[in-house]
Amino acid sequence: CDEALGCFMLKLTDQFQDCSIVRSRDKGTLDHCDVIIDVGGVYEPDNNRFDHHQRGFGEVFGHGFNTKLSSAGLVYKHYGRDIIASQMHLPADHPDVQTVYLEVYKNFIEAVDAVDNGVGQFDTDSPAKYVVNSTLGARVARLNPTWNQPYTDEALDAGFAKAMQLAGQEFLESVHHVSQVWLPAKQIVAAAIAERHQVDPSGQIIVLKQGGVPWKDHLFSLEKELAVEVPILYVLYEDEREHKWRIQCVPPALGSFDQRKSMPEAWRGLRDDALSGVSGVPGCVFVHASGFIGGNATYEGALEMARKSVAA
């Protein structure tokens, strides 16, 4: 999988886009190659030699990532930024390119590196509770000839070409998602955090300019990046289907079902006029029985619910 992905990425570069792929371990053949990955026994980036199997190899991506690199990771480390820049139609030194470059490694490339180098995802010796055969590596492996099929160079080359397309397409999908979906969402959340004191003097309420934005992952990372001292408690956004406003509590950590501060106990499980009567806020729609989310017909009503929750 790693060499198929590495070859696909190299073909995305200006330097190697017109190169032919030769699959060989013969030293005489390798000596005439412009770039070598996954074979050759050396890591010499200045000479375009990118193997990771040799004794003593321990190269990592850096930037806080410590997984040993596969050939795909090596190609991405040295050429990934330019590939990302080309896909985004931005200069390589643009800050958005750096952000996407790191996020694509985190969410796509690192797993390829880890699997190829036998790095477990969890620090445990307990056996897996079920089998997963749908990973990228597993799907690429099925493109090899099986034990009862002809094991010829032609079959291997045909399977490798398919593997390049499979791994490469998923790489491009990852780049597209990070650059066109994940990054714009982060920018919306960042803008909301920057404007939080205009929403409420407490700074503990943010308003997303667009409903449906995935905000939790970005909020936690941005609070650290921006050194937000007073924790954000509530996120307001418009429901895209009903065009009513939601107030959602921020959990203490990503994946947690607890809340930094739930909405008042007296509101929980109530709806409509009953909720408006108890809360003193017109236009209330609901508050969930656990107090983690509520709704109001208007932005002003949702904001007042959030302000009263902060003060409670």
Side-chain angles (χ1 to χ4, degrees):
C1 179
D2 67 318
E3 67 268 35
L5 177 58
C7 286
F8 184 92
M9 289 191 290
L10 286 172
K11 296 282 283 182
L12 294 176
T13 67
D14 293 338
Q15 186 175 355
F16 302 116
Q17 62 180 342
D18 296 322
C19 288
S20 300
I21 295 174
V22 177
R23 302 184 70 226
S24 175
R25 296 182 184 277
D26 178 70
K27 186 178 184 303
T29 301
L30 297 179
D31 286 343
H32 291 90
C33 291
D34 296 296
V35 57
I36 300 172
I37 69 169
D38 213 44
V39 294
V42 294
Y43 168 52
E44 298 175 352
D46 291 341
N47 296 320
N48 296 325
R49 278 15 184 189
F50 301 103
D51 198 7
H52 67 107
H53 296 98
Q54 59 273 19
R55 183 187 295 273
F57 177 86
E59 190 73 9
V60 298
F61 187 67
H63 308 284
F65 298 98
N66 298 307
T67 300
K68 188 168 74 169
L69 299 180
S70 67
S71 60
L74 288 172
V75 169
Y76 189 76
K77 178 171 183 173
H78 291 280
Y79 297 99
R81 188 180 286 102
D82 289 336
I83 292 170
I84 297 297
S86 176
Q87 294 295 312
M88 295 180 69
H89 306 290
L90 292 172
D93 59 356
H94 193 285
D96 286 354
V97 170
Q98 178 70 3
T99 299
V100 173
Y101 172 63
L102 297 178
E103 190 67 17
V104 169
Y105 183 79
K106 173 185 176 182
N107 283 288
F108 187 80
I109 302 291
E110 186 176 23
V112 176
D113 290 339
V115 170
D116 196 76
N117 284 301
V119 179
Q121 191 174 8
F122 305 101
D123 292 326
T124 177
D125 294 328
S126 300
K129 293 184 178 181
Y130 53 87
V131 175
V132 178
N133 281 320
S134 57
T135 64
L136 176 60
R139 285 178 284 126
V140 165
R142 287 196 289 272
L143 297 174
N144 287 313
T146 63
W147 68 270
N148 53 358
Q149 291 178 325
Y151 201 81
T152 63
D153 289 343
E154 291 77 10
L156 289 169
D157 288 344
F160 188 78
K162 292 179 180 178
M164 281 182 59
Q165 291 304 311
L166 173 61
Q169 186 59 41
E170 294 202 12
F171 167 72
L172 291 178
E173 289 172 359
S174 178
V175 173
H176 178 270
H177 177 80
V178 172
S179 61
Q180 302 300 316
V181 180
W182 179 90
L183 182 60
K186 181 177 182 179
Q187 292 167 339
I188 289 173
V189 177
I193 292 174
E195 297 168 0
R196 67 192 186 280
H197 290 288
Q198 299 173 31
V199 173
D200 186 75
S202 70
Q204 296 188 287
I205 304 169
I206 67 171
V207 179
L208 301 178
K209 298 299 185 183
Q210 183 175 340
V213 173
W215 55 267
K216 292 182 183 179
D217 183 26
H218 295 306
L219 187 144
F220 291 123
S221 64
L222 285 166
E223 281 184 324
K224 293 180 180 178
E225 290 178 26
L226 302 174
V228 175
E229 295 182 358
V230 179
I232 295 165
L233 299 180
Y234 303 106
V235 178
L236 273 57
Y237 56 89
E238 187 178 22
D239 182 275
E240 293 182 306
R241 292 183 300 173
E242 299 182 1
H243 300 290
K244 296 179 180 179
W245 280 82
R246 296 284 185 264
I247 167 176
Q248 189 165 351
C249 305
V250 177
L254 194 64
S256 172
F257 290 103
D258 293 328
Q259 316 304 324
R260 287 177 174 173
K261 187 174 185 180
S262 298
M263 281 179 272
E265 175 72 35
W267 300 2
R268 300 177 197 175
L270 299 181
R271 298 187 62 87
D272 305 324
D273 291 342
L275 177 57
S276 291
V278 171
S279 66
V281 181
C284 287
V285 177
F286 78 99
V287 168
H288 192 275
S290 64
F292 85 98
I293 191 170
N296 195 286
T298 68
Y299 164 70
E300 291 78 12
L303 178 57
E304 185 62 21
M305 291 173 71
R307 285 173 170 167
K308 288 195 170 191
S309 296
V310 169

